[in-house]
Amino acid sequence: MTAYDVVVLAGGAARRLGGADKPGVRVGGRPLLDRVLAACADADTTVVVAAPRPTARPVTWAREDPPGGGPLAALDAGLRHTTARYVLVLSADLPFLQEATARLLLTVLRTGGADGVLLTDADGRDQPLVAAYRAPSLRHELTALTKEHGTLTGLPLRRLTAALDLTRVPDPVASFDCDTWDDIATARARIREHGHVLDEWITAVKDELGIDLDVDTGVLLDLARDAAHGVARPAAPLTTFLVGYAAAQAGGGPEAVAEASRKAAALALRWADENAEDAADSGGASDGPADTRPDAG
């Protein structure tokens, strides 16, 4: 993986949100800022340019002088705390940014010759705050702009990007940012769609519990299904809890979860096989109607 630093700009006025604390607005139970930080958790240094606040993981705080000086002044303040050759520059309002997107931006930058790689949105517009840049290129142009204008305060971001050689990568999802309450509502609705809700929930739970563990959720779901069908419905959540406990006792990690899941799944299948054999031996006869209540068994 390419070594890199991150600068997150999180100090805007959020006027289109009525001055709300946009980085703290929750989508899927997590503040927008924490969602962005999760996508770049393997950075060497993460700098957030804003007034300090609680975050899900430690960061370095920076502030432009004077505060509210605009994106170029904020970027310059953040860069002063970085040392890596490559730097991700992100806004704090990207609900769908993922690690895979960060890796893609860095890979395209490292293997190409451009000064930066940025995403474009659904309308083809550049998103310079969802981008990876060569830090020396940023510093060179920021220095030139400071000499030309005397200050970076109030200068628009396009003054910087117009001077850089940029590669563009279309991604209407990862580039989606939340400028309005309608955008927030759209983001909240999307993560509750069937194809996204489970991953979103698992990620939110891990963040809430402070767990940094990637496991095969398919294995756990198969285990829950086998326990529910082969034993009883309440066996599903209890079994997955016990698997987690056993994995922790074994030292934790994906391998420990997989091994505990394998053992429990095999037991559930053996249990189901015995039930099937008993039913076959009795010819399917029963002393009365089957109890089909969810807590039966």
Side-chain angles (χ1 to χ4, degrees):
M1 179 64 188
T2 303
Y4 72 101
D5 293 335
V6 179
V7 175
V8 181
L9 306 188
R15 293 182 180 87
R16 295 171 69 184
L17 288 177
D21 175 25
K22 182 162 66 169
V25 172
R26 294 181 180 273
V27 173
R30 293 188 291 159
L32 283 169
L33 176 57
D34 281 344
R35 297 180 69 90
V36 172
L37 295 177
C40 51
D42 58 349
D44 291 342
T45 299
T46 299
V47 183
V48 179
V49 186
R53 65 172 65 231
T55 52
R57 66 184 185 87
V59 301
T60 298
W61 296 98
R63 198 68 166 137
E64 72 273 28
D65 186 15
L72 285 189
L75 176 56
D76 182 64
L79 278 176
R80 296 177 186 277
H81 296 271
T82 67
T83 57
R85 177 175 178 78
Y86 305 109
V87 59
L88 279 180
V89 177
L90 306 170
S91 61
D93 60 350
L94 303 167
F96 306 129
L97 188 66
Q98 301 289 331
E99 289 182 16
T101 306
R103 289 194 295 267
L104 174 63
L105 289 169
L106 291 162
T107 297
V108 174
L109 179 63
R110 179 177 56 82
T111 57
D115 296 317
V117 180
L118 53 76
L119 297 188
T120 57
D121 65 16
D123 296 319
R125 293 174 297 196
D126 288 353
Q127 298 296 314
L129 297 184
V130 199
Y133 298 95
R134 298 181 191 274
S137 298
L138 289 182
R139 291 191 174 95
H140 178 270
E141 295 303 332
L142 288 170
T143 298
L145 286 169
T146 301
K147 289 181 178 178
E148 179 182 356
H149 297 277
T151 181
L152 295 174
T153 298
L155 292 181
L157 196 57
R158 63 178 178 273
R159 292 290 182 90
L160 172 67
T161 55
L164 298 173
D165 176 22
L166 300 174
T167 297
R168 290 161 175 83
V169 176
D171 192 331
V173 176
S175 64
F176 182 89
D177 57 0
C178 294
D179 291 327
T180 68
W181 287 113
D182 283 345
D183 294 336
I184 296 292
T186 297
R188 287 172 172 169
R190 185 180 186 276
I191 67 170
R192 286 176 170 79
E193 293 173 359
H194 177 70
H196 307 285
V197 66
L198 185 58
D199 286 342
E200 287 285 347
W201 171 249
I202 294 299
T203 300
V205 171
K206 289 194 296 185
D207 282 356
E208 192 72 16
L209 299 180
I211 299 171
D212 184 14
L213 178 66
D214 289 325
V215 297
D216 187 342
T217 55
V219 169
L220 294 176
L221 289 173
D222 288 344
L223 168 61
R225 178 202 62 207
D226 292 341
H229 291 176
V231 184
R233 290 186 186 180
L238 293 172
T239 303
T240 52
F241 164 77
L242 292 172
V243 162
Y245 186 84
Q249 291 290 93
E255 297 82 4
V257 174
E259 178 62 14
S261 297
R262 183 192 63 78
K263 291 179 178 179
L267 175 62
L269 292 176
R270 293 198 303 271
W271 192 292
D273 288 343
E274 289 179 8
N275 287 343
E277 290 171 3
D278 290 345
D281 290 343
S282 65
S286 155
D287 292 336
D291 189 345
T292 58
R293 292 174 299 162
D295 60 348

